[in-house]
Amino acid sequence: MDYFVHPRAICETTKVGASTRIWAFAHVLEGAVIGRDVNLCDHTFVENDVIIGDRVTVKCGVQLWDGLRVEDDVFIGPNVTFANDLFPRSGQPPQRFVETIIRRGASLGSNATILPGVTIGQNAMVGAGAVVTRSVPPNAIVVGNPARIGGYAEANASPARVAETQPTPPETASRVRGVSLRKLALHRDMRGSLVHGECPREVPFEPRRWFLVYDVPSSEVRGEHALRTCHLFLVCVRGSVSVVADDSEEREEFQLDDPTLGLHLPPMVWATQYKHSPDALLLVLASEHYDSQDYIRDYAAFLAEVRGSHS
């Protein structure tokens, strides 16, 4: 064999990749498929209908049940608990267990609980002890019971203003390709306040469409897509919302908490909005009329399309 099985482990499958290590008191059933360079630590159990990709680490005390799909480079911490039956009854298994998918590069912290049928997105991070009841977007960091998004991996928030005494420059470039934070003009007098911008100066395109997003529960996530040809310009005219922009190589988070701040998102940037305040009202200007074919709603497909265009 080109893989290692500890003398005190039971490995009934032969579908095991090279350089994989199965340690003491682990038990792997006959139907399981395990990739290359996997590390199954002590006291782990792998049922029949389980597929594990390459370079996966499964720490001690984890049971992987039928229906689980684990992609490459995933970390599963100690005592992570998976479930595969939404309505379990003794002696009454379902005809087919629902699939639970852990996408490439995700990490699950110790003692996290993953409910049946959810998908943990690519590079997502599940905090220790979190109870995941709903699918987790790519790159999201979730914590708590039930798990809620608390941030995004490698997306340190960019301050909207350096200090109250220092004015924001008219345009601040992001490290994300083509994205910029723009300062809109504010006029105040005894009659109230007015914010304005012109096209194509502050808004770098001629809008053909607009829409408003509001009444979003704080736990919900909006966006989660890229556009192939359409530019967007976002202004939170009331309350606050956080926006994460991702060009496949760089990721940055922006807090829109002032109606004088506009965020320009060019085509082929994956954008997500979250952390909506209860009173958040987000105005979105678009350079094109609505076209469902312009949207990329799968993060893996977005990565493949971006990298294909650069090859």
Side-chain angles (χ1 to χ4, degrees):
M1 297 187 300
D2 54 0
Y3 56 92
F4 170 78
V5 178
H6 192 279
R8 288 185 173 82
I10 301 172
C11 183
E12 301 179 46
T13 183
T14 58
K15 302 182 185 72
V16 181
S19 301
T20 284
R21 300 166 300 285
I22 301 173
W23 294 99
F25 310 111
H27 187 176
V28 183
L29 297 189
E30 182 179 7
V33 177
I34 301 175
R36 300 170 59 89
D37 199 24
V38 172
N39 193 30
L40 290 180
C41 295
D42 292 14
H43 297 282
T44 51
F45 176 74
V46 183
E47 215 166 15
N48 281 293
D49 185 20
V50 174
I51 300 175
I52 301 174
D54 299 337
R55 298 173 301 280
V56 171
T57 296
V58 183
K59 301 300 286 185
C60 301
V62 176
Q63 297 86 42
L64 308 182
W65 306 112
D66 286 341
L68 185 63
R69 306 291 183 258
V70 181
E71 295 187 352
D72 298 345
D73 302 302
V74 166
F75 174 85
I76 301 175
N79 300 305
V80 168
T81 297
F82 294 94
N84 66 351
D85 192 342
L86 292 169
F87 301 99
R89 290 286 187 267
S90 180
Q92 302 177 42
Q95 291 184 346
R96 183 177 181 275
F97 291 101
V98 296
E99 284 192 358
T100 299
I101 303 172
I102 315 300
R103 295 293 188 196
R104 178 189 299 267
S107 294
L108 312 183
S110 60
N111 294 299
T113 299
I114 314 299
L115 266 60
V118 304
T119 296
I120 308 298
Q122 183 170 332
N123 296 322
M125 176 78 70
V126 176
V131 178
V132 179
T133 61
R134 303 168 60 182
S135 292
V136 176
N139 307 303
I141 301 170
V142 299
V143 296
N145 179 8
R148 294 283 186 258
I149 298 174
Y152 277 78
E154 302 172 3
N156 295 328
S158 297
R161 292 165 297 280
V162 177
E164 292 298 329
T165 57
Q166 300 180 20
T168 304
E171 180 178 348
T172 304
S174 164
R175 64 175 183 269
V176 179
R177 184 174 53 251
V179 173
S180 62
L181 188 68
R182 299 182 178 227
K183 184 69 172 178
L184 305 177
L186 169 65
H187 298 282
R188 284 195 177 115
D189 61 27
M190 62 186 301
R191 300 168 297 172
S193 300
L194 182 148
V195 176
H196 70 86
E198 295 184 0
C199 307
R201 288 170 53 184
E202 290 84 3
V203 180
F205 54 83
E206 295 288 342
R208 294 184 177 178
R209 177 168 59 102
W210 64 270
F211 53 91
L212 297 172
V213 180
Y214 61 100
D215 287 346
V216 179
S218 61
S219 61
E220 296 299 323
V221 177
R222 301 279 309 189
E224 294 188 280
H225 58 64
L227 294 164
R228 293 184 173 91
T229 61
C230 185
H231 293 252
L232 299 178
F233 193 80
L234 283 61
V235 180
C236 192
V237 299
R238 186 181 66 221
S240 64
V241 62
S242 291
V243 181
V244 178
D246 179 343
D247 64 8
S248 81
E249 296 179 353
E250 298 285 352
R251 189 176 306 121
E252 192 165 359
E253 179 174 330
F254 303 86
Q255 185 178 25
L256 301 182
D257 59 358
D258 188 315
T260 65
L261 296 173
L263 183 65
H264 173 223
L265 299 173
M268 295 308 293
V269 168
W270 185 269
T272 303
Q273 298 99 49
Y274 77 118
K275 290 183 181 176
H276 297 77
S277 66
D279 61 341
L281 174 60
L282 182 67
L283 169 65
V284 182
L285 305 177
S287 66
E288 308 296 332
H289 295 130
Y290 177 77
D291 178 4
S292 61
Q293 299 303 309
D294 198 39
Y295 284 73
I296 307 172
R297 300 188 183 275
D298 180 80
Y299 187 71
F302 162 72
L303 294 179
E305 197 161 323
V306 170
R307 290 164 185 171
S309 66
H310 293 168
S311 62

